[in-house]
Amino acid sequence: MSLEDAVLCLEAQAKGEIPDHRLVVSGALALDTLILLGIASRDIQDAAAGLRIVAEGGTLALDDSGRARASILAADVRRFVNFDESKET
């Protein structure tokens, strides 16, 4: 379970690619953990909802606007990844 997996999936969606299902499941679980901890923004909740749809076997047909949104969400999630990495040192 990794926030980095969530970032990779969102970046793939931003490029119009289909992310690896294993990474989607891992990323969705990591984002859901942030939500359960009560530290998730609305963007994190949106990212989690999108990845959860794909993790459960659904698909997202993203247009240009949707891909741009996925890119923004990836950047927002990456802030949490960088925060976690800074705590480990």
Side-chain angles (χ1 to χ4, degrees):
M1 181 171 68
S2 162
L3 291 173
E4 182 65 32
D5 292 344
V7 171
L8 293 173
C9 293
L10 292 164
E11 289 174 342
Q13 290 175 334
K15 295 176 190 173
E17 300 170 354
I18 298 172
D20 181 300
H21 189 261
R22 292 169 296 168
L23 297 179
V24 172
V25 172
S26 172
L29 288 171
L31 292 174
D32 282 343
T33 300
L34 287 181
I35 292 168
L36 290 173
L37 292 173
I39 56 175
S41 67
R42 179 64 189 167
D43 283 346
I44 297 297
Q45 293 175 15
D46 287 351
L51 291 186
R52 197 175 311 114
I53 288 168
V54 177
E56 293 173 350
T59 58
L60 297 175
L62 301 178
D63 59 8
D64 289 340
S65 177
R67 288 189 297 277
R69 177 81 171 128
S71 180
I72 291 167
L73 295 175
D76 195 37
V77 174
R78 185 165 296 287
R79 290 184 315 126
F80 283 93
V81 172
N82 293 336
F83 176 75
D84 286 346
E85 289 173 353
S86 69
K87 290 175 65 175
E88 292 178 11
T89 58

